[in-house]
Amino acid sequence: ERRLADREFDLRRARAAAGQGDWEQREEEFMRLNLQLRKLEEEVEARKKTEVQMADKLLEEQHRCMELRFEHEQATVRMPRLEARLLELELLVASGSSGGGTT
């Protein structure tokens, strides 16, 4: 549709350049401005779509970041407990080995 409009504009412009009157020149200018306006409106529409897509992507990344922070906090809390339990088990195994040989 856009190419067709461009071609129609080019045709009218060529006719106006062929020596038609002042009215045709004004009509040509109006059509040129109208075509330029359509192009700009299409560009604005495309940028709005891009903006929506980027906002969605940003929201997804924020959720992902929040989930990763939560997992990090959980790991930070869990790690000392696991280390303490590991130490308990190592001590239990060590005391069982040394105590088991005398019995």
Side-chain angles (χ1 to χ4, degrees):
E1 181 182 332
R2 188 172 178 183
R3 284 186 177 186
L4 179 61
D6 286 341
R7 297 302 171 235
E8 288 176 359
F9 173 72
D10 290 340
L11 179 61
R12 288 188 178 124
R13 189 174 203 176
R15 286 181 183 160
Q20 296 178 353
D22 186 44
W23 176 254
E24 286 80 13
Q25 288 178 355
R26 287 183 184 176
E27 185 178 356
E28 175 197 347
E29 181 66 16
F30 174 75
M31 288 174 48
R32 185 186 68 77
L33 291 173
N34 193 20
L35 187 59
Q36 184 179 7
L37 178 63
R38 274 193 230 153
K39 287 179 182 178
L40 291 173
E41 286 172 346
E42 288 174 4
E43 185 179 332
V44 166
E45 202 58 39
R47 289 184 185 218
K48 283 181 182 179
K49 287 180 184 178
T50 302
E51 179 184 7
V52 168
Q53 291 172 345
M54 295 304 279
D56 289 344
K57 187 175 181 179
L58 175 63
L59 188 60
E60 288 174 13
E61 291 299 322
Q62 286 174 336
H63 284 281
R64 185 170 172 251
C65 183
M66 189 179 299
E67 288 174 1
L68 290 173
R69 283 183 184 158
F70 177 76
E71 289 176 11
H72 180 265
E73 288 176 14
Q74 292 299 314
T76 303
V77 169
R78 192 171 181 206
M79 199 67 139
R81 289 189 323 207
L82 291 173
E83 288 173 350
R85 181 65 179 148
L86 180 63
L87 183 60
E88 286 176 16
L89 292 173
E90 287 174 346
L91 291 174
L92 183 63
V93 167
S95 68
S97 296
S98 64
T102 59
T103 326

